[in-house]
Amino acid sequence: MNIIERGSGTPRQLRNALLMASKMRGWGRAHFTLTLPGLCEHGDVKVRTTALRILVLWLKQARASPAERIEGSDERSFDEPINKALALGVDEGTESLARKHLVSPAE
């Protein structure tokens, strides 16, 4: 998980670490969500797309299940990194998912 924290490594290593971390409960939701916004601005479009997709899906899950929320951060605090990722470019499916999140009302 050091790869995610540093934001270094090959794009393939970063994507694999992101996917693994998104499934690991022990790594900690708060720790994970602190690193995701920075990776939403990564120079590699595949890493950026993966980070953005995981972030938006986590936010959707947190909306549905209050137990998934991170204390001290609200859903809209992630709008800036989402918008930056969209400005840099991501794949079409992830862009659509992110735009739906941005227009939906926060709870």
Side-chain angles (χ1 to χ4, degrees), residues 51-97:
L52 179 60
R53 179 170 285 277
I54 291 169
L55 178 61
V56 171
L57 290 174
W58 173 78
L59 290 169
K60 183 178 178 180
Q61 183 178 0
R63 180 181 289 165
S65 174
E68 293 295 319
R69 293 186 181 145
I70 303 300
E71 188 175 323
S73 66
D74 70 9
E75 189 176 335
R76 292 300 168 200
S77 64
F78 295 98
D79 285 0
E80 184 178 345
I82 292 171
N83 282 314
K84 286 182 180 178
L86 292 174
L88 291 169
V90 294
D91 74 31
E92 190 175 314
T94 301
E95 180 178 357
S96 174
L97 185 68

Side-chain angles (χ1 to χ4, degrees), residues 33-68:
T33 56
L34 290 173
T35 59
L36 271 178
L39 290 174
C40 286
E41 299 176 39
H42 194 273
D44 184 85
V45 67
K46 289 181 180 180
V47 172
R48 189 169 53 245
T49 296
T50 301
L52 179 60
R53 179 170 285 277
I54 291 169
L55 178 61
V56 171
L57 290 174
W58 173 78
L59 290 169
K60 183 178 178 180
Q61 183 178 0
R63 180 181 289 165
S65 174
E68 293 295 319

Side-chain angles (χ1 to χ4, degrees), residues 20-31:
M20 185 184 301
S22 70
K23 297 187 183 340
M24 291 174 47
R25 302 297 272 168
W27 199 53
R29 288 185 311 267
H31 189 76

